[in-house]
């Protein structure tokens, strides 16, 4: 599993741009920048939709004030689901919604979760990380995927403030 001090593996995500589907790589996202990436088991799932994502949307200005260039959420959903979630949540244009439909990035980082017992296949564990120029500087992994304790926006803000 990825850990603090590791470089993120190169990966390609699909995002919905102005003219349709576009590719976005880890290098595009992170090179020379400070980025917060948080992962959720699934778009529109109760904890993800009602708790995890809104925390980041509601604190986006504060994150930028702390030097964060971009905030991205990643899920093992397709680009159409992620785009619908961006629109429905009010996060479109504030947060980058990365589709990892085949869970390739989830598996490459060891952040994958076998949710097949619930009919959801391979998903992400709930996590958050701060990445500086491609290197993980903070990593928060939830013990319970149905809870947002350490991976929420408040935790990231505290870490960025050095608390």
């Amino acid at each position: 599993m990825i850990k603090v001090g590791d470089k993120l593996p190169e990966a390609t995500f699909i995002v919905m741009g102005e003219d349709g589907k576009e590719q976005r790589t880890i290098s595009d996202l992170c090179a020379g920048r400070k980025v917060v990436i948080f992962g959720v088991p699934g778009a529109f799932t109760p904890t993800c939709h009602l708790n995890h994502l809104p925390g980041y949307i509601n604190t986006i200005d504060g994150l930028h004030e702390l030097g964060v260039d971009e905030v991205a959420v990643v899920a093992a959903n397709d680009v159409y689901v992620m785009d619908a979630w961006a629109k429905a949540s009010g996060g479109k244009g504030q947060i980058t919604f990365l589709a990892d439909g085949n869970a390739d990035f989830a598996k490459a980082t060891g952040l994958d979760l076998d949710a097949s017992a619930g009919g959801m296949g391979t998903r992400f564990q709930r996590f958050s990380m701060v990445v500086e120029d491609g290197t993980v500087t903070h990593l928060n992994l939830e013990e319970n995927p149905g809870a947002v304790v350490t991976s929420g926006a408040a935790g990231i803000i505290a870490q960025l403030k050095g608390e």
Side-chain angles (χ1 to χ4, degrees), residues 1-2 13 16 20-21 33 35 50 53 71 76 88 103 105 107 116 123 132 156:
M1 180 182 296
I2 195 96
F13 305 99
M16 192 61 75
K21 297 186 300 181
R33 308 173 77 218
V35 179
L50 301 173
L53 177 62
V71 176
F105 182 69
K107 294 172 190 169
S116 57
R123 298 294 177 119
E132 295 189 36
I156 288 287

Side-chain angles (χ1 to χ4, degrees), residues 22-45:
E22 300 174 354
Q23 292 188 344
R24 185 101 190 260
T25 66
I26 283 293
S27 295
D28 296 335
L29 184 66
C30 299
R33 308 173 77 218
K34 183 186 286 189
V35 179
V36 170
I37 302 172
F38 67 103
V40 297
F44 290 110
T45 57

